[in-house]
Amino acid sequence: MAIYSDHTGASPPECKIFAIAAPSTILWASQSANDYQPAFVGEKTVQFTKLCCGRSTTVVGLTTGEIMVFSIRNAKDGVQCRMVVRRRLHGHRIRHMSCSTLGVTGKTHHEVFVTCDGLSNVCIWDLAQNEEQTTIRVLCQYQIPTKRSDVGIIAASVQVRKSPKASSDVHDELFVALGDCHGHAHVLSVKLTNDLALPNGDHTKSKVRYRRIVSAHGRKQVSYVQCLDTDVYDVLTAGHDGFIRLYNIVHADDGTAPLLVECHVVSTDAVVQVERVMWSGDKSIVVAGFKASEFIAVDVDSNCQILRADCGGWKRPWIT
């Protein structure tokens, strides 16, 4: 049984709502001190494949290629949730998704999501919320060029980057980083206007600039990618080769897709199959993943081991 989890971006931390999805059931738990209040919703006719939490929403992907958007909030009697949108965005099961806050226009809050299906199709869409309604608007769709039947996307990250040039004819850039199970990383970029739309309303793939980083992690899967909001690095990739690679974005003058220039490589002997990279309060890197049959979390800078648990390894993780 596959289980997917995430939490909302609410602040302060005690207002966060955690969501866990099994094949046909979602559990929401609100953290208030040490008290977790569960709420369930289930539908036997659907099978969830992935879950992602926005600021006040939970989005789940289905085997049918649909997405379901749930509005969630804390209440005195527990977590209140309701489904506000259900829409088909893909023709095949959704394999991965990620989200990022776009901003607020008037009284409407925008979040951008990227979803990937099992046929190498990528859909970038905007979730707009106000007091009256929740709507979905597809920004663009793109099929990753590949000779395989499925490129095998297993990691995704999306971010809106402000234009480095103060000019009316230069737009903000929607930047998507993807990782696949064959060791490659993928970069997509789309220009956005000030009203969070594509210039000229053109949704064709000609507006998507694409670049592949071949064998970013050899032949091992790229298990984690992250668009970074720092002054030093722009993109992070991590893989089952045990390495973390940090890149800078270099914009091409000829209008082609941005280049990713590798500028730093981090490795740790404690973790072989990297599953997640986090930043601690002092900006040091914390790596979590597997080595043989153990799950390990370690602070790379201090080489301090935070967690070690015996389990079945990354293919069959379990803890007794």
Side-chain angles (χ1 to χ4, degrees), residues 49-80:
T49 62
K50 214 63 181 177
L51 175 145
C52 184
C53 287
R55 187 187 62 140
S56 59
T57 56
T58 297
V59 179
V60 291
L62 310 183
T63 54
T64 58
E66 297 174 286
I67 56 100
M68 298 171 67
V69 180
F70 294 88
S71 175
I72 53 177
R73 66 183 183 90
N74 277 312
K76 292 182 179 179
D77 55 348
V79 179
Q80 292 185 354

Side-chain angles (χ1 to χ4, degrees), residues 5-6 223-224 226 238 244 273-278 286-289:
S5 63
D6 199 357
S223 50
Y224 184 76
Q226 184 180 1
I244 301 162
Q273 288 93 21
V274 179
E275 292 294 327
R276 182 63 62 92
V277 179
M278 298 155 285
V286 177
V287 178

Side-chain angles (χ1 to χ4, degrees), residues 145-161:
T146 177
K147 294 181 180 179
R148 303 173 184 267
S149 58
D150 177 17
V151 75
I153 298 297
I154 56 174
S157 181
V158 59
Q159 187 180 73
V160 175
R161 297 182 177 275

Side-chain angles (χ1 to χ4, degrees), residues 87 89 102 110-114 122-127 136-142 158 160 174 190-193 195-199 201-205 207-208:
R87 179 173 170 182
L89 295 177
L102 274 176
H110 294 268
E111 288 176 310
V112 62
F113 286 77
V114 55
V122 179
C123 182
I124 304 171
W125 48 280
D126 169 37
L127 179 66
I136 288 176
R137 178 183 53 166
V138 174
L139 297 178
C140 60
Q141 294 175 309
Y142 187 80
V158 59
V160 175
L174 183 63
V190 184
K191 295 295 184 180
L192 295 176
T193 59
D195 59 350
L196 308 178
L198 290 178
D202 187 353
H203 292 185
T204 63
K205 69 178 184 179
K207 291 296 181 181
V208 179

Side-chain angles (χ1 to χ4, degrees), residues 243-313:
F243 289 94
I244 301 162
R245 302 185 183 276
L246 295 155
Y247 299 86
N248 283 335
I249 296 175
V250 178
H251 292 270
D253 294 332
D254 59 358
T256 58
L259 292 170
L260 288 187
V261 178
E262 183 180 301
C263 52
H264 191 52
V265 179
V266 178
S267 65
T268 171
D269 295 334
V271 178
V272 177
Q273 288 93 21
V274 179
E275 292 294 327
R276 182 63 62 92
V277 179
M278 298 155 285
W279 304 87
S280 64
D282 58 357
K283 302 301 181 181
S284 60
I285 297 178
V286 177
V287 178
F290 297 92
K291 185 174 184 178
S293 61
E294 293 181 316
F295 178 81
I296 301 170
V298 61
D299 186 310
V300 174
D301 294 342
S302 64
N303 201 27
C304 175
Q305 194 170 108
I306 301 170
L307 172 69
R308 179 186 290 266
D310 289 326
C311 65

Side-chain angles (χ1 to χ4, degrees), residues 172-187:
D172 294 340
E173 185 175 30
L174 183 63
F175 191 82
V176 177
L178 306 169
D180 68 33
C181 59
H182 306 294
H184 310 309
H186 309 264
V187 176

